[in-house]
Amino acid sequence: MKYGIVIFPSKKVQDLANSYRKRYDPHYALIPPHVTLKSLEASEGQMKEVTDTLEEIAKNHKGFKMNIKKVSSFQPVNNVIYLKIEPTDELASLHQEINNKIIGEKPEYAFVPHITIGQKLSNDEHSDVYGSLRMLNVEHEESIDRFHLLYQLENGSWSVYETFRLGKEL
C-alpha cells in the first residue's frame, strides 16, 4: 500500500493553492495541498513500526514557522509550478530524520519544501502559466505543529491514517 508523510498548510494557503490547482493540477481532487516529507510503500503489518517511529520523531521536534515567499518552478527538471517554502533548519531536520528512520526508498530529488499548484503541464502551458504566476506577490507565514501519515485509497485519493503533533510547543 502507498503511504505519504505530509504537512498540511492552513486553510488560507490551501484555498490559495486550490484556486490554481483546480485548473493546473490533475491531482486536485485526490489530495489537499500539502508539503511532502516522504513517500513510502509498506504492508499493513509494517505500519505499527512506522507509526511508533513517527511518534518518536514528532516528540523530538518542536513546532516551527513556515514562510511562503513566491511562486517557483522545477523546470527544466519537470514542469511543476509551486508555492516556494523558505527552507528552515527545523523543517530540514524533520525531513531528514523521517527519511533516515522510516523504511522506504531514499528521495529521488533533494528536498525543496514546496506546495504544488500545477503539474503535468505541456512545455507551452508551463511557460504561459508560470510566466503569469511568478509575478504574484505571495507573502505568508504560519505556525506548523503537526504532520500527517496518509494512505492511498483504491480510487487514487488520499486519506489521513494518523496525525502526529510535534512535541515541543512553539
Side-chain angles (χ1 to χ4, degrees), residues 13-160:
V13 173
Q14 289 196 31
D15 289 347
L16 172 68
N18 278 333
S19 70
Y20 299 106
R21 289 182 70 225
K22 68 178 96 160
R23 285 176 288 190
Y24 307 122
D25 184 355
H27 298 159
Y28 166 74
L30 302 176
I31 188 169
H34 62 280
V35 180
T36 302
L37 297 173
K38 182 168 182 68
S39 300
L40 64 137
E41 293 204 25
S43 68
E44 190 59 44
Q46 294 171 300
M47 291 318 293
K48 170 87 172 101
E49 180 185 340
V50 169
T51 57
D52 288 351
T53 303
L54 289 173
E55 195 70 54
E56 276 307 305
I57 292 170
K59 285 180 194 163
N60 294 336
H61 292 267
K62 65 182 194 292
F64 57 90
K65 298 281 187 204
M66 185 168 80
N67 289 297
I68 300 168
K69 295 286 190 194
K70 66 179 185 174
V71 174
S72 196
S73 171
F74 287 128
Q75 225 215 8
V77 175
N78 57 40
N79 288 349
V80 170
I81 300 171
Y82 60 89
L83 297 175
K84 181 174 178 31
I85 295 167
E86 290 295 305
T88 62
D89 291 344
E90 295 90 352
L91 181 55
S93 170
L94 178 63
H95 173 265
Q96 185 173 9
E97 188 171 354
I98 287 171
N99 278 278
N100 287 344
K101 292 187 175 173
I102 297 294
I103 57 170
E105 295 179 22
K106 294 293 173 218
E108 187 177 350
Y109 302 108
F111 182 54
V112 177
H114 69 282
I115 299 167
T116 299
I117 57 175
Q119 62 183 322
K120 299 191 177 1
L121 303 167
S122 71
N123 288 338
D124 288 346
E125 218 178 359
H126 175 274
S127 186
D128 287 350
V129 172
Y130 182 54
S132 63
L133 292 184
R134 72 175 177 206
M135 302 302 177
L136 284 177
N137 183 18
V138 182
E139 284 280 327
H140 180 78
E141 180 179 276
E142 63 186 61
S143 296
I144 300 299
D145 66 354
R146 69 194 68 193
F147 61 89
H148 310 271
L149 175 63
L150 310 181
Y151 64 99
Q152 191 172 32
L153 302 169
E154 285 181 25
N155 69 2
S157 67
W158 292 83
S159 188
V160 174

